[in-house]
Amino acid sequence: ETGVTQSPTHLIKTRGQQVTLRCSSQSGHNTVSWYQQALGQGPQFIFQYYREEENGRGNFPPRFSGLQFPNYSSELNVNALELDDSALYLCASSLDRFTYEQYFGPGTRLTVT
Amino acid sequence: DAKTTQPTSMDCAEGRAANLPCNHSTISGNEYVYWYRQIHSQGPQYIIHGLKNNETNEMASLIITEDRKSSTLILPHATLRDTAVYYCIVRVESGGSNYKLTFGKGTLLTVNP
């Protein structure tokens, strides 16, 4: 148990729809990162938020956006869903931007039909 | 971040040591070697990290060659619960693109009874 939770566990959406995934970080962790993991692949970095501001971004289009709140919760929003967005979405919290250990949640499995 | 190369899969007998190799021949002087693992249906879990000296913790040992071009993660007494995908990652300790973990496909370690 990492103390990081994600909701929902599973989600099915239709192409073109919008989705919001939620993450609750460990208390005291001011940094959250989001990753996308396609089947059979390693997780791919989407972006990181540090003290409620985007701190870094991977190679994902602007329709992937995020929010981080003062209560250690965060959201990943994806607009105009595409079939290729079907994946496991993982959030990871850490004490700060440069700490060596990231604590991952169990993920949200998103299926786009 | 430097690229890593790992075998796709490995097998190990329960109770024996599991030695997982990783090649990172283009590693820079300020890049650390990290190991994470991902048990099926869970998020990745931090195992260990190091710069140039060998490291040991309650989970594993990390052996880094003197030229730092490769490393080996050792699970001294593998159990069935160690069956997972193991990821070797290199990244700088702070600054630059430190904020993200760049995962490859990892090594699927199967521990057999």
Side-chain angles (χ1 to χ4, degrees):
Chain A
E1 290 292 333
T2 63
V4 179
T5 59
Q6 293 185 245
S7 62
T9 307
H10 296 87
L11 198 54
I12 300 175
K13 288 286 190 178
T14 303
R15 189 171 50 183
Q17 285 187 315
Q18 178 268 342
V19 69
T20 297
L21 310 182
R22 294 180 171 83
C23 172
S24 180
S25 300
Q26 280 196 22
S27 178
H29 284 193
N30 58 26
T31 304
V32 65
S33 304
W34 286 89
Y35 293 80
Q36 179 195 66
Q37 186 172 24
L39 211 56
Q41 305 294 318
Q44 299 300 305
F45 176 78
I46 303 175
F47 45 55
Q48 183 185 80
Y49 278 77
Y50 170 67
R51 292 186 174 176
E52 300 161 49
E53 292 196 3
E54 188 176 293
N55 181 57
R57 191 176 185 91
N59 189 25
F60 281 81
R63 60 189 184 84
F64 286 78
S65 63
L67 286 171
Q68 184 187 25
F69 305 102
N71 65 352
Y72 306 115
S73 67
S74 57
E75 291 179 354
L76 164 66
N77 299 289
V78 187
N79 293 323
L81 283 167
E82 300 176 0
L83 297 179
D84 283 349
D85 295 334
S86 294
L88 180 69
Y89 288 85
L90 297 156
C91 75
S93 78
S94 50
L95 269 174
D96 60 43
R97 290 170 292 174
F98 303 130
T99 192
Y100 60 84
E101 185 170 1
Q102 295 190 9
Y103 296 82
F104 283 81
T108 293
R109 172 72 62 188
L110 173 65
T111 302
V112 182
T113 62
Chain B
D1 291 342
K3 199 170 175 182
T4 62
T5 304
Q6 298 178 252
T8 302
S9 63
M10 295 182 65
D11 285 331
C12 177
E14 189 177 18
R16 304 299 293 269
N19 297 282
L20 293 98
C22 178
N23 182 287
H24 32 79
S25 58
T26 59
I27 193 170
S28 301
N30 63 345
E31 287 182 312
Y32 283 66
V33 179
Y34 293 78
W35 284 83
Y36 277 73
R37 75 178 182 183
Q38 186 172 22
I39 295 170
H40 184 60
S41 298
Q42 297 182 24
Q45 174 192 23
Y46 166 84
I47 301 173
I48 199 167
H49 78 290
L51 181 64
K52 51 176 91 171
N53 297 322
N54 299 337
E55 302 287 345
T56 296
N57 63 20
E58 65 279 3
M59 287 183 69
S61 294
L62 173 60
I63 309 297
I64 302 174
T65 58
E66 196 168 335
D67 63 7
R68 303 211 322 123
K69 292 182 186 296
S70 65
S71 60
T72 301
L73 178 75
I74 301 172
L75 307 179
H77 305 287
T79 71
L80 299 179
R81 288 175 295 179
D82 292 322
T83 292
V85 177
Y86 287 77
Y87 297 100
C88 170
I89 299 164
V90 294
R91 72 166 186 168
V92 295
E93 182 68 356
S94 64
S97 60
N98 158 272
Y99 50 80
K100 65 178 178 180
L101 296 171
T102 302
F103 291 85
K105 291 192 176 181
T107 296
L108 173 60
L109 174 69
T110 302
V111 180
N112 300 304

